[in-house]
Amino acid sequence: MGRSRRTIPEELLLLALDPATGTTAQPQSLDLGLAGAQLVELALAGRIAPDGDRIAVVMSRPTGDPTLDSALELLRRRGSPVRAVHWIGGPRLGLRQTYLTHLERCGMVHAVAGQMCGVLPTTRYQATETAISREIRTRLDNAIRTGVPPDPRTAALAALAHAVGLGKHLYPGNEGRSSRSRLRDLIRHDPMGGLVAHAVMDVQNGVAAQPRRPSGPGGSPGARTATARTTADATGVPGQSRRHGHGSMARVGAR
């Protein structure tokens, strides 16, 4: 797997970075989204495939990306397909920091040391390659505004952005309401992205205990309940409080 192309976890993290504050929007749900984004990237690389609401390894050959290969090896060791909600809801200690460090090493962000309350050491991350962040955002904007079905990578990125609650970060206020709605609708354009995005939302809702009944082409998840949709319209993420907004910051060693 060549490194000339940015991975979906990297793009999701760049979308979540606030250029003004150096903090990450929706940090708690973003951690789940990054785990889900790894699954989508591995599926696009032909290493895994959906099996109902489960994930099956179909090729164990490494991709060449150490972080993805670590996830692939963990999936392989399971020995049988694993439910997406169980995988995404599992411990992912340090995953966000791993990707922030990688982006810093690649020169796409730089770390700014600081303190919280004048005592606790913190690290914020400012984007340095703003053209890359603009290109990612432009792809998402075009998918939303043109109505043209996006490519699988952009569709999956849109699905994950909605699932982790980035809609109000990317398209704030009343003027962004229609864009947030169309961002949510893009979830249907990629079966794997849709499966993973729904799993991310299920983990946040605490409904991972019961298997989802597959529906639609390829066994991809169908429509969510009216209650979940009502909550999503109100907060951007089903079951997620408004207080998980832009104020939390990425810290060295944070989850």
Side-chain angles (χ1 to χ4, degrees):
M1 184 177 187
R3 295 299 298 134
S4 59
R5 171 178 285 176
R6 294 178 303 276
T7 65
I8 293 176
E10 292 164 7
E11 293 194 331
L12 183 66
L13 187 50
L14 287 171
L15 276 178
L17 275 178
D18 189 310
T21 65
T23 62
T24 53
Q26 304 290 12
Q28 288 80 16
S29 53
L30 180 61
D31 291 341
L32 302 176
L34 290 173
Q38 287 186 312
L39 294 180
V40 176
E41 192 66 51
L42 286 170
L44 289 171
R47 281 10 181 226
I48 64 175
D51 180 7
D53 67 345
R54 297 175 183 268
I55 303 297
V57 175
V58 295
M59 182 191 301
S60 59
R61 178 167 56 85
T63 66
D65 180 304
T67 309
L68 290 176
D69 289 340
S70 176
L72 179 61
E73 177 61 15
L74 288 174
L75 286 166
R76 187 192 67 78
R77 288 179 184 175
R78 294 291 184 96
S80 60
V82 58
R83 287 185 63 204
V85 288
H86 289 165
W87 172 261
I88 291 168
R92 296 290 177 271
L93 187 63
L95 184 59
R96 182 167 18 125
Q97 185 58 48
T98 295
Y99 275 108
L100 284 168
T101 301
H102 169 73
L103 290 175
E104 182 184 19
R105 189 165 56 246
C106 292
M108 285 188 275
V109 303
H110 72 275
V112 180
Q115 290 183 329
M116 178 183 290
C117 301
V119 178
L120 299 175
T122 63
T123 304
R124 299 169 183 258
Y125 291 86
Q126 300 285 350
T128 53
E129 293 288 343
T130 54
I132 293 175
S133 297
R134 284 197 303 268
E135 183 270 329
I136 297 169
R137 178 65 182 271
T138 297
R139 280 171 37 219
L140 213 57
D141 290 346
N142 288 341
I144 287 173
R145 292 168 182 164
T146 64
V148 176
D151 63 273
R153 300 185 70 82
T154 303
L157 180 63
L160 286 161
H162 166 69
V164 303
L166 292 184
K168 289 193 174 182
H169 168 69
L170 299 170
Y171 307 104
N174 288 333
E175 66 276 13
R177 183 175 298 173
S178 62
S179 292
R180 294 195 298 270
S181 177
R182 288 193 288 270
L183 179 70
R184 180 189 62 209
D185 291 343
L186 288 174
I187 202 169
R188 71 183 187 273
H189 286 292
D190 180 62
M192 185 66 176
L195 168 65
V196 169
H198 279 302
V200 168
M201 292 186 283
D202 281 349
V203 172
Q204 293 176 82
N205 279 330
V207 295
Q210 296 298 322
R212 176 186 296 275
R213 179 177 297 174
S215 63
S220 61
R224 303 187 59 77
T225 64
T227 302
R229 287 191 183 278
T230 300
T231 308
D233 290 341
T235 65
V237 181
Q240 176 121 341
S241 167
R242 289 179 186 274
R243 62 190 173 87
H244 296 315
H246 300 246
S248 299
M249 65 182 60
R251 302 180 190 172
V252 172
R255 283 177 53 221

